[in-house]
Amino acid sequence: MKIQAFLMNLELLIMDFKHFISTKTKLPYQELENFLVTEQNEEIHIINGIPRFVDTDNYAAAFGLQWNNFRQVDLDSFTNKPFSRNRLETALGQPLETIRGLKILEAGSGAGRFTEVLLKYGAEVYSFDLSNAVEANYQNNMPHQNLTLFQGDIMDIHFQDEFFDISLCLGVLQHTPDTSKSIRELTRVLKKGGKLVFDHYKFHPGHYLSLYLVYWSFIKRLKPQNQLKITDYLTKVFFPVHWYFKESWLMQFLLRRISPISFYYGIFDLNKQQHYELSRLDTHDKNTDHFKRHLTERGLKRIIERFNFKTYKINHRGNGLECIAIK
């Protein structure tokens, strides 16, 4: 127990809380024993070594349950495949070797699949999630001298203006209450000349020509624990069918019209068990999100052009649309 307490104290010392500010009063937080506090006595509790700027019970609770149950499934260190590394480098539009020493904000970290890669390449990472997925990230990536974790809201980020070199947000914006407001806050904390990197679901008629949204509209209304049971059951039922017809393009096309699960054979080089675990994870992910929005490229352009970025570029890849914008 003494060793465990020592390690916890060591991790708290490594975590860097000095840059947090109140977004209401603009005053800096000072760290006390189990909370952060400003001169006006604004208090933020530190729970399990992580500052909590939001209530733990929020619309992203299902994601928190998900990432704590599937904590390692999509980590490169677990799969021994460079999936997260490659996706991150592509999204950033620059070699990962060039991010060493940069201050990077990671919005919506999940269990830390990209956190792991950012740290590996020497970035100074400030990573957060609205849900308690930050606890899974903590287990996966702490202690680390270059990592600061916190639970926070993408539309209320507790840092001063123009603090970060890169604002990174992958797999998140379509699940927030407002894409535009989220981009505004990610841009506020970004330095002039800094890079905003994000993606968004792309509108596709196929989403409305299958039973996918029917399953989602039902499952998302359940309590998180029941959502997990249902999506696990659906994966158990449908995965063997997908796997049996894994070499048939036609059958996979037809199954996508009726099946609620995610299936990635032919996309990711994994063994059967790894495919099954990834299906469990992503079937839960796509059927339990409280908000789910899809944008056309034109619709995303209309949002981006409100911010007068120096330059921006939209690519069709990843989750649908990926954007790199320079402030």
Side-chain angles (χ1 to χ4, degrees):
M1 292 298 294
K2 289 182 178 180
I3 294 176
Q4 185 177 10
F6 171 77
L7 290 175
M8 178 63 76
N9 289 333
L10 176 63
E11 291 174 3
L12 287 173
L13 287 172
I14 290 173
M15 292 273 273
D16 182 5
F17 300 147
K18 66 178 180 290
H19 296 297
F20 289 121
I21 66 161
S22 165
T23 51
K24 292 182 179 179
T25 64
K26 307 302 180 184
L27 293 171
Y29 285 101
Q30 302 297 322
E31 182 183 355
L32 297 181
E33 194 167 322
N34 290 310
F35 56 90
L36 304 176
V37 62
T38 69
E39 292 177 357
Q40 292 191 11
N41 293 319
E42 300 166 284
E43 291 186 2
I44 299 298
H45 289 280
I46 300 173
I47 302 172
N48 298 328
I50 303 171
R52 313 290 177 139
F53 292 93
V54 294
D55 294 331
T56 54
D57 186 17
N58 54 58
Y59 68 82
F63 284 137
L65 179 65
Q66 167 183 303
W67 292 117
N68 280 286
N69 273 273
F70 303 104
R71 181 169 64 86
Q72 294 183 309
V73 170
D74 59 359
L75 295 183
D76 284 358
S77 60
F78 184 74
T79 63
N80 291 316
K81 304 287 184 179
F83 299 140
S84 297
R85 182 211 175 281
N86 292 346
R87 184 179 171 198
L88 181 59
E89 185 168 65
T90 299
L92 286 171
Q94 65 187 88
L96 290 175
E97 289 78 9
T98 64
I99 68 172
R100 179 171 296 279
L102 297 183
K103 286 185 174 67
I104 297 182
L105 176 70
E106 182 189 19
S109 66
R113 62 179 293 199
F114 298 123
T115 313
E116 177 182 72
V117 180
L118 292 168
L119 292 171
K120 179 180 177 180
Y121 284 89
E124 186 177 330
V125 184
Y126 296 79
S127 184
F128 75 95
D129 201 282
L130 181 63
S131 76
N132 66 359
V134 289
E135 295 176 9
N137 195 343
Y138 191 99
Q139 291 183 66
N140 285 331
N141 291 302
M142 287 296 291
H144 199 290
Q145 64 182 358
N146 284 347
L147 176 59
T148 297
L149 275 173
F150 61 102
Q151 188 173 357
D153 186 344
I154 195 171
M155 294 190 293
D156 186 28
I157 301 172
H158 286 254
F159 285 88
Q160 66 190 34
D161 296 354
E162 300 183 7
F163 183 78
F164 296 101
D165 299 293
I166 296 175
S167 287
L168 174 70
C169 185
L170 296 178
V172 175
L173 287 182
Q174 57 268 358
H175 304 308
T176 67
D178 191 303
T179 294
S180 183
K181 289 181 180 178
S182 300
I183 292 176
R184 185 176 302 281
E185 188 69 350
L186 291 169
T187 303
R188 176 186 68 79
V189 297
L190 187 64
K191 295 176 182 177
K192 290 182 179 177
K195 180 183 289 189
L196 171 63
V197 178
F198 68 88
D199 63 1
H200 202 288
Y201 284 166
K202 176 184 175 182
F203 173 81
H204 192 283
H207 291 133
Y208 304 95
L209 299 175
S210 74
L211 294 178
Y212 162 48
L213 293 180
V214 176
Y215 286 108
W216 169 70
S217 63
F218 169 72
I219 294 172
K220 77 168 189 172
R221 290 175 168 80
L222 303 176
K223 293 181 179 180
Q225 288 291 349
N226 291 333
Q227 290 175 331
L228 185 61
K229 291 177 182 178
I230 290 291
T231 54
D232 264 358
Y233 175 77
L234 291 171
T235 308
K236 185 177 181 180
V237 169
F238 281 94
F239 182 85
V241 182
H242 278 274
W243 190 262
Y244 184 81
F245 293 106
K246 62 183 182 295
E247 302 292 351
S248 171
W249 176 89
L250 177 60
M251 285 302 299
Q252 292 303 321
F253 174 81
L254 295 174
L255 281 169
R256 284 196 295 273
R257 309 277 73 80
I258 61 172
S259 170
I261 79 166
S262 297
F263 185 71
Y264 298 114
Y265 182 82
I267 299 174
F268 298 125
D269 179 21
L270 300 168
N271 61 41
K272 183 179 180 180
Q273 185 59 36
Q274 289 173 319
H275 271 292
Y276 180 71
E277 292 303 318
L278 187 57
S279 283
R280 288 180 66 208
L281 164 61
D282 271 11
T283 297
H284 182 277
D285 189 274
K286 79 173 188 176
N287 283 291
T288 59
D289 45 348
H290 186 78
F291 298 103
K292 189 194 300 286
R293 290 188 306 282
H294 299 78
L295 288 172
T296 62
E297 181 177 351
R298 181 179 295 180
L300 184 56
K301 280 183 177 180
R302 282 199 295 266
I303 292 174
I304 294 172
E305 288 172 356
R306 299 172 190 169
F307 297 96
N308 297 316
F309 288 111
K310 184 177 180 180
T311 63
Y312 75 87
K313 182 178 182 181
I314 297 174
N315 297 291
H316 293 251
R317 62 194 183 202
N319 277 337
L321 300 171
E322 283 186 358
C323 179
I324 298 174
I326 305 300
K327 184 175 177 180

